[in-house]
Short mmCIF file of all heavy atoms in Angstrom, two decimals:
data_model
loop_
_atom_site.label_atom_id
_atom_site.label_comp_id
_atom_site.label_asym_id
_atom_site.label_seq_id
_atom_site.Cartn_x
_atom_site.Cartn_y
_atom_site.Cartn_z
N PHE A 1223 118.23 118.71 110.97
CA PHE A 1223 117.10 117.93 110.45
C PHE A 1223 116.96 118.14 108.94
O PHE A 1223 116.74 117.18 108.18
CB PHE A 1223 115.82 118.34 111.17
CG PHE A 1223 114.58 117.62 110.68
CD1 PHE A 1223 114.26 116.37 111.17
CD2 PHE A 1223 113.74 118.20 109.74
CE1 PHE A 1223 113.12 115.70 110.73
CE2 PHE A 1223 112.61 117.55 109.28
CZ PHE A 1223 112.30 116.29 109.79
N LEU A 1224 117.10 119.38 108.48
CA LEU A 1224 116.99 119.66 107.05
C LEU A 1224 118.11 118.99 106.27
O LEU A 1224 117.89 118.46 105.17
CB LEU A 1224 117.02 121.17 106.80
CG LEU A 1224 115.78 121.96 107.23
CD1 LEU A 1224 115.95 123.44 106.90
CD2 LEU A 1224 114.52 121.43 106.58
N ILE A 1225 119.31 119.00 106.81
CA ILE A 1225 120.42 118.30 106.14
C ILE A 1225 120.12 116.81 106.09
O ILE A 1225 120.39 116.14 105.09
CB ILE A 1225 121.75 118.58 106.87
CG1 ILE A 1225 122.14 120.05 106.67
CG2 ILE A 1225 122.85 117.66 106.37
CD1 ILE A 1225 123.36 120.49 107.45
N GLY A 1226 119.52 116.29 107.17
CA GLY A 1226 119.10 114.89 107.15
C GLY A 1226 118.06 114.61 106.08
O GLY A 1226 118.05 113.53 105.47
N CYS A 1227 117.17 115.58 105.83
CA CYS A 1227 116.18 115.42 104.76
C CYS A 1227 116.86 115.29 103.39
O CYS A 1227 116.46 114.48 102.55
CB CYS A 1227 115.20 116.61 104.75
SG CYS A 1227 114.08 116.66 106.16
N GLY A 1228 117.88 116.11 103.17
CA GLY A 1228 118.64 116.00 101.93
C GLY A 1228 119.32 114.65 101.80
O GLY A 1228 119.35 114.04 100.72
N THR A 1229 119.87 114.16 102.90
CA THR A 1229 120.50 112.84 102.90
C THR A 1229 119.47 111.75 102.61
O THR A 1229 119.75 110.79 101.87
CB THR A 1229 121.17 112.57 104.26
OG1 THR A 1229 122.12 113.61 104.53
CG2 THR A 1229 121.88 111.23 104.27
N ALA A 1230 118.27 111.89 103.18
CA ALA A 1230 117.21 110.90 102.94
C ALA A 1230 116.81 110.87 101.46
O ALA A 1230 116.51 109.79 100.92
CB ALA A 1230 115.99 111.24 103.80
N LEU A 1231 116.81 112.01 100.80
CA LEU A 1231 116.49 112.05 99.38
C LEU A 1231 117.62 111.46 98.54
O LEU A 1231 117.39 110.76 97.55
CB LEU A 1231 116.22 113.49 98.95
CG LEU A 1231 115.91 113.73 97.46
CD1 LEU A 1231 114.64 112.98 97.05
CD2 LEU A 1231 115.77 115.22 97.17
N ASN A 1232 118.85 111.71 98.95
CA ASN A 1232 120.02 111.30 98.16
C ASN A 1232 120.34 109.81 98.28
O ASN A 1232 120.66 109.15 97.28
CB ASN A 1232 121.23 112.12 98.61
CG ASN A 1232 122.49 111.77 97.84
OD1 ASN A 1232 122.69 112.22 96.73
ND2 ASN A 1232 123.36 110.97 98.44
N ASN A 1233 120.25 109.25 99.49
CA ASN A 1233 120.82 107.93 99.73
C ASN A 1233 120.22 106.79 98.91
O ASN A 1233 120.96 105.98 98.34
CB ASN A 1233 120.74 107.60 101.23
CG ASN A 1233 121.86 108.27 102.01
OD1 ASN A 1233 122.70 108.96 101.45
ND2 ASN A 1233 121.85 108.09 103.33
N PRO A 1234 118.88 106.65 98.83
CA PRO A 1234 118.36 105.53 98.03
C PRO A 1234 118.79 105.61 96.56
O PRO A 1234 119.14 104.60 95.95
CB PRO A 1234 116.84 105.67 98.18
CG PRO A 1234 116.64 106.39 99.47
CD PRO A 1234 117.78 107.35 99.52
N ALA A 1235 118.79 106.83 95.99
CA ALA A 1235 119.20 106.98 94.60
C ALA A 1235 120.68 106.63 94.43
O ALA A 1235 121.07 105.96 93.47
CB ALA A 1235 118.92 108.40 94.12
N TRP A 1236 121.51 107.08 95.36
CA TRP A 1236 122.95 106.80 95.26
C TRP A 1236 123.23 105.32 95.43
O TRP A 1236 123.94 104.71 94.64
CB TRP A 1236 123.70 107.63 96.31
CG TRP A 1236 125.07 107.13 96.66
CD1 TRP A 1236 125.54 106.83 97.90
CD2 TRP A 1236 126.17 106.89 95.77
NE1 TRP A 1236 126.84 106.41 97.84
CE2 TRP A 1236 127.26 106.43 96.54
CE3 TRP A 1236 126.33 107.01 94.39
CZ2 TRP A 1236 128.49 106.09 95.99
CZ3 TRP A 1236 127.56 106.66 93.84
CH2 TRP A 1236 128.63 106.22 94.62
N GLN A 1237 122.66 104.69 96.45
CA GLN A 1237 122.95 103.28 96.69
C GLN A 1237 122.39 102.39 95.58
O GLN A 1237 123.02 101.41 95.19
CB GLN A 1237 122.40 102.86 98.05
CG GLN A 1237 123.10 103.56 99.20
CD GLN A 1237 122.73 102.98 100.54
OE1 GLN A 1237 122.24 101.87 100.65
NE2 GLN A 1237 122.96 103.75 101.60
N ALA A 1238 121.21 102.73 95.05
CA ALA A 1238 120.67 101.96 93.94
C ALA A 1238 121.48 102.16 92.68
O ALA A 1238 121.55 101.27 91.83
CB ALA A 1238 119.21 102.35 93.70
N SER A 1239 122.12 103.33 92.53
CA SER A 1239 122.92 103.60 91.34
C SER A 1239 124.22 102.82 91.31
O SER A 1239 124.82 102.66 90.23
CB SER A 1239 123.23 105.11 91.25
OG SER A 1239 122.05 105.87 91.07
N VAL A 1240 124.69 102.36 92.47
CA VAL A 1240 125.94 101.60 92.49
C VAL A 1240 125.82 100.36 91.60
O VAL A 1240 126.75 100.00 90.86
CB VAL A 1240 126.31 101.19 93.93
CG1 VAL A 1240 127.51 100.27 93.95
CG2 VAL A 1240 126.59 102.44 94.76
N GLY A 1241 124.64 99.71 91.62
CA GLY A 1241 124.42 98.55 90.78
C GLY A 1241 124.39 98.89 89.30
O GLY A 1241 124.52 97.99 88.45
N ASP A 1242 124.21 100.18 88.95
CA ASP A 1242 124.26 100.61 87.56
C ASP A 1242 125.68 100.96 87.13
O ASP A 1242 125.96 101.08 85.93
CB ASP A 1242 123.37 101.83 87.34
CG ASP A 1242 121.91 101.55 87.69
OD1 ASP A 1242 121.48 100.40 87.49
OD2 ASP A 1242 121.22 102.47 88.18
N MET A 1243 126.57 101.15 88.10
CA MET A 1243 127.95 101.57 87.80
C MET A 1243 128.91 100.39 87.71
O MET A 1243 129.95 100.48 87.06
CB MET A 1243 128.45 102.55 88.87
CG MET A 1243 127.67 103.83 88.99
SD MET A 1243 128.29 104.84 90.35
CE MET A 1243 126.99 106.07 90.47
N VAL A 1244 128.62 99.31 88.44
CA VAL A 1244 129.52 98.15 88.47
C VAL A 1244 128.72 96.89 88.18
O VAL A 1244 127.50 96.85 88.44
CB VAL A 1244 130.23 98.02 89.84
CG1 VAL A 1244 131.02 99.27 90.16
CG2 VAL A 1244 129.22 97.72 90.95
N PRO A 1245 129.34 95.83 87.68
CA PRO A 1245 128.63 94.57 87.46
C PRO A 1245 128.27 93.92 88.79
O PRO A 1245 128.84 94.23 89.84
CB PRO A 1245 129.62 93.72 86.67
CG PRO A 1245 130.96 94.31 86.97
CD PRO A 1245 130.73 95.77 87.20
N ARG A 1246 127.34 92.99 88.73
CA ARG A 1246 126.83 92.34 89.94
C ARG A 1246 127.95 91.66 90.74
O ARG A 1246 127.94 91.68 91.97
CB ARG A 1246 125.76 91.32 89.54
CG ARG A 1246 125.07 90.63 90.71
CD ARG A 1246 123.99 89.68 90.17
NE ARG A 1246 123.37 88.91 91.22
CZ ARG A 1246 122.36 89.32 91.98
NH1 ARG A 1246 121.88 90.52 91.80
NH2 ARG A 1246 121.84 88.55 92.91
N SER A 1247 128.94 91.09 90.05
CA SER A 1247 130.02 90.39 90.75
C SER A 1247 130.87 91.34 91.60
O SER A 1247 131.50 90.92 92.57
CB SER A 1247 130.90 89.67 89.74
OG SER A 1247 131.47 90.59 88.82
N ASP A 1248 130.89 92.64 91.24
CA ASP A 1248 131.68 93.61 92.00
C ASP A 1248 130.85 94.37 93.03
O ASP A 1248 131.38 95.24 93.72
CB ASP A 1248 132.31 94.63 91.04
CG ASP A 1248 133.48 94.06 90.26
OD1 ASP A 1248 134.04 93.05 90.71
OD2 ASP A 1248 133.82 94.62 89.19
N LEU A 1249 129.56 94.06 93.13
CA LEU A 1249 128.69 94.84 94.01
C LEU A 1249 129.09 94.76 95.49
O LEU A 1249 129.15 95.80 96.16
CB LEU A 1249 127.23 94.40 93.82
CG LEU A 1249 126.18 95.25 94.53
CD1 LEU A 1249 126.27 96.71 94.10
CD2 LEU A 1249 124.77 94.71 94.24
N PRO A 1250 129.37 93.56 96.06
CA PRO A 1250 129.79 93.55 97.48
C PRO A 1250 131.02 94.41 97.74
O PRO A 1250 131.08 95.14 98.73
CB PRO A 1250 130.06 92.07 97.75
CG PRO A 1250 129.24 91.33 96.76
CD PRO A 1250 129.26 92.19 95.53
N ALA A 1251 132.01 94.35 96.83
CA ALA A 1251 133.22 95.16 97.00
C ALA A 1251 132.89 96.64 96.87
O ALA A 1251 133.46 97.48 97.59
CB ALA A 1251 134.27 94.76 95.97
N ALA A 1252 131.96 96.99 95.96
CA ALA A 1252 131.60 98.40 95.79
C ALA A 1252 130.91 98.95 97.04
O ALA A 1252 131.18 100.08 97.46
CB ALA A 1252 130.69 98.56 94.57
N VAL A 1253 130.02 98.16 97.64
CA VAL A 1253 129.35 98.59 98.87
C VAL A 1253 130.38 98.78 99.99
O VAL A 1253 130.33 99.76 100.75
CB VAL A 1253 128.27 97.56 99.28
CG1 VAL A 1253 127.72 97.89 100.66
CG2 VAL A 1253 127.15 97.54 98.25
N ALA A 1254 131.33 97.83 100.09
CA ALA A 1254 132.37 97.95 101.11
C ALA A 1254 133.24 99.18 100.86
O ALA A 1254 133.63 99.88 101.80
CB ALA A 1254 133.22 96.69 101.15
N LEU A 1255 133.55 99.47 99.59
CA LEU A 1255 134.36 100.65 99.27
C LEU A 1255 133.61 101.94 99.61
O LEU A 1255 134.24 102.92 100.04
CB LEU A 1255 134.74 100.64 97.79
CG LEU A 1255 135.88 99.69 97.40
CD1 LEU A 1255 136.04 99.67 95.90
CD2 LEU A 1255 137.18 100.10 98.08
N ASN A 1256 132.31 101.96 99.41
CA ASN A 1256 131.54 103.14 99.82
C ASN A 1256 131.64 103.35 101.32
O ASN A 1256 131.81 104.48 101.80
CB ASN A 1256 130.07 102.98 99.41
CG ASN A 1256 129.84 103.32 97.96
OD1 ASN A 1256 130.63 104.04 97.34
ND2 ASN A 1256 128.78 102.80 97.38
N SER A 1257 131.53 102.26 102.08
CA SER A 1257 131.68 102.37 103.53
C SER A 1257 133.10 102.81 103.88
O SER A 1257 133.30 103.64 104.77
CB SER A 1257 131.38 101.02 104.19
OG SER A 1257 130.04 100.65 103.98
N MET A 1258 134.09 102.25 103.19
CA MET A 1258 135.46 102.62 103.46
C MET A 1258 135.70 104.09 103.13
O MET A 1258 136.38 104.80 103.89
CB MET A 1258 136.41 101.75 102.64
CG MET A 1258 137.89 101.98 102.98
SD MET A 1258 139.02 100.98 101.98
CE MET A 1258 138.95 101.87 100.42
N GLY A 1259 135.13 104.56 102.00
CA GLY A 1259 135.31 105.96 101.64
C GLY A 1259 134.77 106.89 102.70
O GLY A 1259 135.43 107.88 103.08
N PHE A 1260 133.56 106.57 103.18
CA PHE A 1260 132.99 107.41 104.23
C PHE A 1260 133.88 107.41 105.47
O PHE A 1260 134.10 108.44 106.11
CB PHE A 1260 131.59 106.91 104.58
CG PHE A 1260 130.95 107.67 105.71
CD1 PHE A 1260 130.43 108.94 105.52
CD2 PHE A 1260 130.88 107.12 106.98
CE1 PHE A 1260 129.84 109.64 106.56
CE2 PHE A 1260 130.30 107.81 108.02
CZ PHE A 1260 129.78 109.08 107.81
N ASN A 1261 134.43 106.24 105.78
CA ASN A 1261 135.20 106.14 107.02
C ASN A 1261 136.64 106.59 106.87
O ASN A 1261 137.31 106.86 107.88
CB ASN A 1261 135.10 104.71 107.55
CG ASN A 1261 133.72 104.43 108.12
OD1 ASN A 1261 133.37 104.95 109.16
ND2 ASN A 1261 132.93 103.65 107.40
N ILE A 1262 137.14 106.68 105.63
CA ILE A 1262 138.42 107.36 105.43
C ILE A 1262 138.28 108.81 105.88
O ILE A 1262 139.13 109.35 106.61
CB ILE A 1262 138.86 107.28 103.96
CG1 ILE A 1262 139.37 105.88 103.64
CG2 ILE A 1262 139.95 108.31 103.66
CD1 ILE A 1262 139.67 105.68 102.16
N THR A 1263 137.19 109.43 105.45
CA THR A 1263 136.95 110.81 105.88
C THR A 1263 136.65 110.87 107.37
O THR A 1263 137.02 111.83 108.05
CB THR A 1263 135.79 111.43 105.09
OG1 THR A 1263 134.61 110.64 105.28
CG2 THR A 1263 136.10 111.47 103.61
N ARG A 1264 136.00 109.83 107.89
CA ARG A 1264 135.71 109.83 109.32
C ARG A 1264 136.98 109.73 110.15
O ARG A 1264 137.04 110.20 111.29
CB ARG A 1264 134.76 108.66 109.65
CG ARG A 1264 134.45 108.52 111.13
CD ARG A 1264 133.42 107.44 111.37
NE ARG A 1264 132.09 108.00 111.43
CZ ARG A 1264 130.97 107.27 111.38
NH1 ARG A 1264 131.05 105.98 111.24
NH2 ARG A 1264 129.80 107.84 111.45
N SER A 1265 138.02 109.10 109.58
CA SER A 1265 139.26 108.93 110.34
C SER A 1265 140.02 110.24 110.50
O SER A 1265 140.76 110.42 111.46
CB SER A 1265 140.15 107.89 109.67
OG SER A 1265 140.56 108.34 108.39
N VAL A 1266 139.87 111.16 109.53
CA VAL A 1266 140.60 112.43 109.61
C VAL A 1266 139.66 113.63 109.72
O VAL A 1266 140.02 114.65 110.31
CB VAL A 1266 141.54 112.60 108.40
CG1 VAL A 1266 142.63 111.56 108.43
CG2 VAL A 1266 140.77 112.51 107.08
N GLY A 1267 138.45 113.49 109.15
CA GLY A 1267 137.51 114.61 109.16
C GLY A 1267 137.18 115.14 110.54
O GLY A 1267 137.25 116.36 110.77
N PRO A 1268 136.83 114.27 111.49
CA PRO A 1268 136.50 114.78 112.82
C PRO A 1268 137.66 115.49 113.50
O PRO A 1268 137.47 116.51 114.17
CB PRO A 1268 136.09 113.51 113.58
CG PRO A 1268 135.62 112.57 112.53
CD PRO A 1268 136.51 112.84 111.36
N ALA A 1269 138.88 114.94 113.35
CA ALA A 1269 140.03 115.60 113.96
C ALA A 1269 140.24 116.98 113.33
O ALA A 1269 140.50 117.97 114.03
CB ALA A 1269 141.28 114.74 113.79
#
């Protein structure tokens, strides 16, 4: 639960910051890459 609290504090700031790192035209691709990055680790991390 405490780790989830840290995630709750981090996520809005991180996701809102993506729009500050890339131009609006690249935002859909950036969101997809964030999902892909998490799931790259999900593909090998659990094993």
Side-chain angles (χ1 to χ4, degrees):
F1223 178 84
L1224 289 181
I1225 291 174
C1227 290
T1229 303
L1231 178 61
N1232 181 80
N1233 280 358
W1236 160 235
Q1237 294 190 20
S1239 295
V1240 173
D1242 300 327
M1243 299 176 192
V1244 301
R1246 184 178 175 84
S1247 60
D1248 286 340
L1249 188 57
V1253 172
L1255 283 174
N1256 279 338
S1257 297
M1258 186 182 76
F1260 177 76
N1261 287 289
I1262 285 174
T1263 58
R1264 177 175 266 167
S1265 64
V1266 294

